[in-house]
Amino acid sequence: MSVERTTLAPGHEISRIIRGGWQLAGDHGPVERDSLNDGFLAFFDAGITTLDCADIYTGVEEMIGDFRRHLGQARGAEALARLKVHTKFVPDLTLLPTITRADVEAIIDRSRARLGMDRLDLVQFHWWDYAQPRCIETLLHLQALQQAGKIAHIAGTNFDASHVAAFAAAGAPLTSIQVQYSLLDRRPAGDFTATAAASNTGLICYGALAGGFLSARWLGAQDPAETLSNRSLIKYRLIIDECGGWDAFQALLRALDRIAQAHAVPLSAVAARWVLDQPGVSAVIIGARHAGHLADTLAIAALRLSAADHAAIAAVLTPGPQGDVYALERDREGRHGRIMKYNLNKN
């Protein structure tokens, strides 16, 4: 079965499964640079034609820029035009009080150079601290760069519903909004989804597999909380705590495993398909360091969950994190905020 596609905006068609780039940035295991382009090409040829990265993912924009050159040589201009690259604009926390149009343009120009693109396909704007008042002003700087031809589409990441609405009211509605959304974290459901829909803002969802926790690897496993060193696993293990802890998590995995066995797919495919089935969701981001993850990723595209499957999943769900999207993570003194790195762009 082919990978589903959707149109986020006129002229911007993407695969509903997006290959994520955070896992290539270090702290997630080794990256085989010699085979990286072949891996990117395997995903592309399989129909996963959209890549997600960020200006603060160390080295990843350069990796994708190299692949773009490789793709053009291997498959030609038509294939290169089908590839869509979503990057992010994440100004450092320390820059927010004084950020200027020149600062914004310098960061965008650096991403253009790294990716080898005159015009960036889609830029996802992140703002660390709502108490800093230049957020909408900065978004309008991005809009000016869009009008200058340096950005095709402006999106957001980790903003709550009130900010999504405020951006639309300021005349700068977001093409999409990237948020954490999974069986463990359902904060985007309901009001947030409705607010995004009001401005035709599609949801791009990360964390659908909770950094790999929502996979058969962890079914029946002992709680690893005290031994984790991978930053992604540390982040999502905290989310498991918000869902009732390790025992409740194991009950969810057992339910997912029964469904996966019935469909002859990986457990992870059930978890990701559930997110794709949610209202307002345009796409899910699935991280992969190499092409060895391709078959499991394609299983998401092939899977269709029945009403009975959804009911079985709903029966074991716990409330999970509460409050606004990304609110827990914005508390820099809290458990979720303390593990974040806030000043990576200056490098």
Side-chain angles (χ1 to χ4, degrees):
M1 180 175 289
S2 61
V3 176
E4 301 154 272
R5 305 186 67 76
T6 190
T7 299
L8 277 185
H12 192 81
E13 183 182 88
I14 64 169
S15 51
R16 291 196 71 208
I17 299 173
I18 297 173
R19 181 173 174 178
W22 189 30
Q23 283 75 13
L24 301 174
D27 293 337
H28 300 93
V31 176
E32 297 294 335
R33 291 297 298 267
D34 291 344
S35 61
L36 192 60
N37 281 340
D38 289 340
F40 276 132
L41 191 60
F43 274 76
F44 180 88
D45 286 342
I48 299 172
T49 59
T50 310
L51 302 175
D52 180 81
C53 61
D55 50 6
I56 61 170
Y57 296 173
T58 304
V60 179
E61 285 184 325
E62 291 94 336
M63 293 177 197
I64 293 175
D66 185 56
F67 171 62
R68 291 186 71 258
R69 289 185 288 274
H70 177 76
L71 178 63
Q73 294 166 0
R75 296 288 186 269
E78 185 275 333
L80 187 58
R82 283 191 291 120
L83 178 71
K84 294 294 183 285
V85 178
H86 295 179
T87 192
K88 299 181 185 71
F89 166 70
V90 187
D92 286 348
L93 177 63
T94 55
L95 180 62
L96 303 189
T98 60
I99 191 168
T100 65
R101 159 73 185 263
D103 294 322
V104 176
E105 187 163 19
I107 294 171
I108 292 300
D109 284 346
R110 187 184 60 189
S111 290
R112 292 169 59 233
R114 289 171 171 175
L115 289 163
M117 304 176 74
D118 291 333
R119 185 177 69 167
L120 299 174
D121 290 330
L122 183 135
V123 173
Q124 299 162 113
F125 172 39
H126 177 77
W127 190 259
W128 288 115
D129 187 355
Y130 290 154
Q132 296 296 332
R134 300 190 182 197
C135 182
I136 289 182
E137 176 184 326
T138 301
L139 177 63
L140 295 178
H141 291 327
L142 288 171
Q143 191 177 61
L145 293 175
Q146 180 184 40
Q147 293 164 353
K150 294 188 175 185
I151 300 170
H153 302 285
I154 299 171
T157 182
N158 293 324
F159 285 106
D160 59 20
S162 66
H163 283 80
V164 172
F167 296 155
L174 302 175
T175 295
S176 60
I177 178 73
Q178 188 175 136
V179 290
Q180 184 170 295
Y181 202 170
S182 74
L183 286 160
L184 300 173
D185 183 0
R186 302 184 302 282
R187 285 176 288 179
D191 290 346
F192 181 88
T193 295
T195 300
S199 57
N200 295 315
T201 300
L203 272 58
I204 305 291
C205 303
Y206 69 90
L209 302 183
F213 272 119
L214 288 167
S215 69
R217 173 188 174 189
W218 297 101
L219 178 63
Q222 295 294 311
D223 186 351
E226 302 303 320
T227 61
L228 295 173
S229 58
N230 178 308
R231 274 206 303 135
S232 178
L233 290 177
I234 292 169
K235 168 184 169 64
Y236 291 109
R237 180 60 187 80
L238 292 175
I239 296 294
I240 290 172
D241 280 342
E242 302 287 342
C243 295
W246 195 251
D247 289 344
F249 173 63
Q250 287 297 313
L252 172 61
L253 288 186
R254 289 192 293 270
L256 298 179
D257 186 57
R258 288 190 291 270
I259 296 168
Q261 298 278 355
H263 288 277
V265 297
L267 187 159
S268 57
V270 179
R273 187 75 239 181
W274 181 91
V275 178
L276 272 174
D277 287 350
Q278 299 312 299
V281 171
S282 296
V284 295
I285 298 170
I286 303 296
R289 291 198 311 276
H290 52 76
H293 298 288
L294 179 57
D296 284 358
T297 304
L298 290 176
I300 303 165
L303 177 62
R304 293 296 179 271
L305 295 175
S306 67
D309 293 332
H310 276 287
I313 292 170
V316 295
L317 292 180
T318 57
Q322 301 297 297
D324 290 333
V325 166
Y326 208 69
L328 289 172
E329 293 83 353
R330 285 188 181 278
D331 178 5
R332 295 196 295 277
E333 302 304 318
R335 299 172 69 214
H336 298 268
R338 285 199 304 269
I339 67 170
M340 306 293 289
K341 296 183 179 180
Y342 296 95
N343 294 293
L344 293 173
N345 216 318
K346 59 189 174 186
N347 297 320

